[in-house]
Amino acid sequence: VSKCCQNYCINLCYNLGRQRRRLVHCVEEWAHLQNQAEQADQLVFLEYEHKRATLRSPTGAFFSGWLLDQLLLMVSRFMELGFQLRLYAPFEFSMIYWYLDYLLGVRINCQPALFFVKSPVYTEEYQKYVQLVKASKKKSGKGLAPPKKPEASIEQLILEGSQALCRGMFRLVAGLEREGVYTVDPLSNASLPLRFHRRFSIIMRLEQPQALTYEHYLDSTDAAQYKPIDLYVAASESFAQAKVLFERVLHRAQKGDEVSEGTKASQGFLKASSHNLELSKALEERAVTAGEDAGAPFTFPANLDGCGAEASAPKIRAEKAAQPAEQTLGGDQGSEPAVLPCDEPVVKYSAQLSFDFGTCPLYPCIQVCIV
């Protein structure tokens, strides 16, 4: 375990491209520990079965639970690096956010605050509370208070907000697909099964969590039975939930709680949630207007022009041009510096749809131009 932890920490020192390549080897190393962690849990349980108090843990997770959380962290990081390096085609965003929603949901279930409610300690305290209420014949709100549940940590709030944001992105894209704005050409559509296997092959090496297949994706993403307005309403609810959670994270950070990289990134997550929430509501209003009067014109609010990334693209190119020329591998000096795809904040999908990564490298502000 110490060697795997050392290799993972060393991997974090590399640039983003090397991190993503080496994460595959890290996951393979940690995957071999899953059986050993389960065996260790069984040995601990059998050894201390007569000492039940020894097995009580405020987290309810032992070796296998901790290992699963670390593996999920690596896999999520692997997929997020794909967004930061602009490795995904825009028509892959739907399945990427769909799978991230699943992984974040599994990781949320590994959090200590959720495990504590299922732990023997909380169960025993709650049973005592119920017995005292019955014995005293009092209502729970007048004399006796139920056992207090632990407050969610900042990490758990960020995970729940990220899951809600992924779910909102997927639902919003599904609504645009139903409306004909987000379309996939036949050639790209034919390559989706192969792309799905290659994007998520890192998860198929693991025993846990259970790997999802492309058939699962097709079964759970069939939006033909829903109207666009229903998908926009569902997306609005998800973005609103994400906005509330990230606001809680920033509020606790201002009060002096722990400040981490996730807390700093929450500002970008909040902006993406707010923008896409307004867009979902505008699309919902447009769908209602079209249903009442198909010929009625509709104008999107002025604040949905984007997150300000359009102005940042020329700025990035200007900064690169101002830098001194560096010696290249071929020996040419003074050549014009190349602008990498990951330096471009706006990914244009079609004349009607583009994804703005200007404020958040993982969750873009979607820009729609519908007449």
Side-chain angles (χ1 to χ4, degrees), residues 35 53 76 86-87 148 158 167 211 242 253 255 289 337 353-354:
N35 289 332
S76 300
R86 301 293 187 270
L87 300 180
K148 186 178 179 181
I158 294 176
R167 194 166 296 175
K255 291 173 58 178
T289 304
L353 181 64
S354 59

Side-chain angles (χ1 to χ4, degrees), residues 116-313:
F116 180 76
V117 179
K118 305 175 184 178
S119 64
V121 176
Y122 181 82
T123 303
E124 184 176 345
E125 292 179 356
Y126 189 79
Q127 290 176 352
K128 290 181 179 179
Y129 158 74
V130 173
Q131 293 176 358
L132 290 174
V133 170
K134 291 181 179 179
S136 59
K137 295 182 180 180
K138 293 182 179 180
K139 295 183 179 179
S140 59
K142 290 188 176 180
L144 300 173
K148 186 178 179 181
K149 298 180 182 180
E151 185 180 4
S153 62
I154 288 185
E155 181 182 8
Q156 183 176 342
L157 292 176
I158 294 176
L159 288 176
E160 293 178 357
S162 300
Q163 185 189 28
L165 195 50
C166 285
R167 194 166 296 175
M169 295 291 298
F170 167 74
R171 290 171 174 173
L172 179 55
V173 169
L176 294 172
E177 184 178 4
R178 285 284 290 121
E179 204 167 353
V181 179
Y182 180 88
T183 57
V184 182
D185 60 273
L187 182 61
S188 300
N189 191 37
S191 67
L192 280 178
L194 179 60
R195 288 175 178 268
F196 187 95
H197 182 270
R198 290 187 175 180
R199 297 306 185 197
F200 309 121
S201 59
I202 186 175
I203 308 172
M204 299 176 184
R205 311 166 191 261
L206 307 177
E207 294 184 3
Q208 291 183 354
Q210 181 181 3
L212 302 180
T213 63
Y214 184 71
E215 287 71 21
H216 291 145
Y217 169 70
L218 292 180
D219 293 340
S220 59
T221 58
D222 184 12
Q225 55 183 334
Y226 301 103
K227 297 180 180 179
I229 186 174
D230 298 330
L231 295 169
Y232 294 146
V233 171
S236 300
E237 294 175 355
S238 298
F239 287 131
Q241 180 185 1
K243 181 180 179 181
V244 171
L245 290 170
F246 289 127
E247 285 176 347
R248 288 179 58 186
V249 171
L250 295 177
H251 178 69
R252 289 179 57 174
Q254 291 176 355
K255 291 173 58 178
D257 288 3
E258 55 175 325
V259 179
S260 60
E261 292 297 327
T263 306
K264 299 176 182 177
S266 297
Q267 297 180 355
F269 296 162
L270 179 59
K271 292 180 180 179
S273 303
S274 303
H275 174 90
N276 293 322
L277 174 60
E278 295 297 327
L279 176 62
S280 301
K281 290 181 177 179
L283 289 170
E284 177 186 350
E285 182 182 351
R286 175 181 175 275
V288 173
T289 304
E292 295 176 352
D293 186 2
F298 181 82
T299 305
F300 282 94
N303 59 345
L304 294 180
D305 293 338
C307 297
E310 294 86 348
S312 62

Side-chain angles (χ1 to χ4, degrees), residues 20-36:
R20 193 173 187 274
R21 291 194 298 269
R22 291 174 177 267
L23 270 177
V24 178
H25 302 292
C26 289
V27 170
E28 289 179 349
E29 291 179 351
W30 285 70
H32 293 304
L33 300 176
Q34 284 187 309
N35 289 332
Q36 300 179 18

Side-chain angles (χ1 to χ4, degrees), residues 31-51:
H32 293 304
L33 300 176
Q34 284 187 309
N35 289 332
Q36 300 179 18
E38 293 177 358
Q39 294 175 5
D41 286 345
Q42 295 176 1
L43 289 175
V44 170
F45 182 80
L46 294 175
E47 181 71 22
Y48 297 98
E49 185 177 8
H50 60 288
K51 301 178 182 179

